[in-house]
Structures are given as C-alpha cells and as structure tokens.
Amino acid sequence: MIKRNFLTASFVQVLLIVGLAFFSNVRASSGTVVVFDLNPIQLAYPSNSPFQGWSFEPTLSISLTKIPNDLIKEHPVPFEVSDDGAISSPLQNVFVTITKDDSGWNISSASFFKPDQGLFLKSEWNLDPYSYEHSENNSDFFYVRYEVGDIFIAEENIGRLKECLGERSWDTDTSSYFWEIEPLPMSVEVSVLDDGKLIPLRLFCEGKEIK
C-alpha cells in the first residue's frame, strides 16, 4: 500500500511538472524573445531537486538592475527602516522600459505604473539591506530585481556551468569577495510577456548554449 501511494504521488507530481512546462511554453511563445547579459557577482550556484533535477536561476546584469533616479517618471519612493532594521517600501513594483544599442540592452525609463508602449520588464525594489545601505551612500540611483525563473540543466552539463560561474571567496581583511577563478561571460534568452514578466528559455556561456 505504501509503495502504491508513493508511486501515485510521484505520478501526480510528474503530471504537474509536465503540465506547468506545457503552460509555460505556450505563454513564452506569445512574448518577445531577447538575450540579456548576466551579472556574475549575483549569480547563485545550481541546485538539485529529486523530482526536477538540476536548475539554475539567472540574475540580469547591473545595466538592468541599477536605475538612476532621473530615469524614473515619478518621484522615487523612499525606503522605510523600522526599529528592528527591517526595510520596506510603500510601492515595490517597478516597470523598466528598455532599448537596445550597440552596447546591448539599456534602461530608457522606469515607472511605478505599467507603460502603454515600448518593451518593458516588471521588477521589484531590491530591499536587500546591503543594497539599501549602498543606495543611501549614492542617492542618485536605486536597485531592482527581476524574477527570471529557473532553467533546467542536464546533469552532465553541470560541471561546465560551474566552470562558467567561476569561484569566489570571502576576504575577511577587506570584508569583500574576490575571484579565485574568474567567471566567463554568460547570457540568458528570455521571453518578455506583455505584462513585463520573464520566462527563461536558454542559457549561454561564451556564446554557446548550456542545456
């Protein structure tokens, strides 16, 4: 009985994963496909799940996450810090309109409200305390973060992915990270939906896809 229940539960989970993948593919086909560079400093290492296998969530480059205040259409909403150090903001969604030139994709404007035209990405205030302290010292910009989602990687290609991510360590003397092994240039192909949400499609390292 226990074995039968386990097999049933596993089968249901597999059906759920397949259904979600199908729905995601349908949504992705309706969006605009673009390729963004990644930020090597903020990239997390891949994780492994018993049912889904190896996955990796990309982090977009700082050219899309660091926004000068003069590019936002409304007055920037100040952060609020409570007595216990928690950070919050009355408005968290930021819609970032982007354009492409010879250097790649860049921010042309940002707004707390969904734009009527142009290619835009939906993001959130980055309420990480370190980013907050950094922006306090440099009040001419603020940071956002994007929910890109996971890309699934075959187990035989995890070694290549880790090689591309490089290896860094913490320097206690300078209280900062340093690269022991330099990361390689990475990018991600995503589908940008009409509401600004992102669906990841493919991952690249030095221009070659990691599947």
Side-chain angles (χ1 to χ4, degrees):
M1 177 65 70
I2 295 177
K3 183 177 180 181
R4 181 179 179 182
N5 290 340
F6 175 78
L7 292 175
T8 300
S10 299
F11 180 71
V12 170
Q13 287 190 339
V14 170
L15 285 180
L16 179 61
I17 293 172
V18 172
L20 289 174
F22 175 77
F23 177 72
S24 179
N25 288 336
V26 171
R27 291 193 72 202
S29 64
S30 66
T32 301
V33 176
V34 296
V35 177
F36 295 131
D37 292 333
L38 301 185
N39 183 350
I41 297 178
Q42 297 293 331
L43 291 178
Y45 281 91
S47 59
N48 191 16
S49 166
F51 290 101
Q52 296 183 338
W54 286 95
S55 63
F56 173 74
E57 183 171 10
T59 303
L60 303 189
S61 70
I62 197 169
S63 65
L64 295 176
T65 58
K66 179 180 177 180
I67 303 181
N69 286 343
D70 59 3
L71 289 184
I72 194 158
K73 295 180 179 181
E74 301 83 20
H75 292 294
V77 178
F79 288 104
E80 298 175 354
V81 185
S82 62
D83 294 337
D84 61 1
I87 299 172
S88 62
S89 174
L91 290 175
Q92 293 190 21
N93 288 335
V94 181
F95 295 91
V96 180
T97 300
I98 59 173
T99 55
K100 189 176 183 180
D101 56 25
D102 293 339
S103 64
W105 289 98
N106 296 287
I107 300 171
S108 61
S109 66
S111 174
F112 296 125
F113 305 98
K114 182 179 175 181
D116 294 327
Q117 58 185 1
L119 183 63
F120 62 89
L121 316 177
K122 184 180 180 181
S123 69
E124 292 183 344
W125 283 96
N126 188 344
L127 300 181
D128 180 273
Y130 296 102
S131 295
Y132 169 71
E133 292 170 0
H134 191 45
S135 63
E136 277 287 280
N137 297 326
N138 301 272
S139 58
D140 57 340
F141 60 82
F142 63 96
Y143 290 97
V144 297
R145 61 169 176 250
Y146 303 92
E147 186 177 340
V148 179
D150 290 332
I151 290 182
F152 296 99
I153 307 294
E155 185 171 5
E156 59 268 23
N157 295 327
I158 291 300
R160 173 56 178 166
L161 175 57
K162 291 182 177 179
E163 178 185 348
C164 295
L165 292 173
E167 185 175 331
R168 59 179 180 168
S169 298
W170 182 258
D171 189 331
T172 55
D173 294 332
T174 61
S175 296
S176 61
Y177 284 105
F178 68 94
W179 291 106
E180 291 189 352
I181 301 177
E182 289 288 333
L184 301 175
M186 296 186 66
S187 58
V188 62
E189 181 184 78
V190 302
S191 176
V192 182
L193 304 182
D194 291 341
D195 58 3
K197 292 182 179 180
L198 307 177
I199 295 181
L201 302 176
R202 296 190 294 169
L203 183 68
F204 299 91
C205 176
E206 293 189 310
K208 295 182 180 180
E209 184 179 0
I210 300 179
K211 301 182 178 179

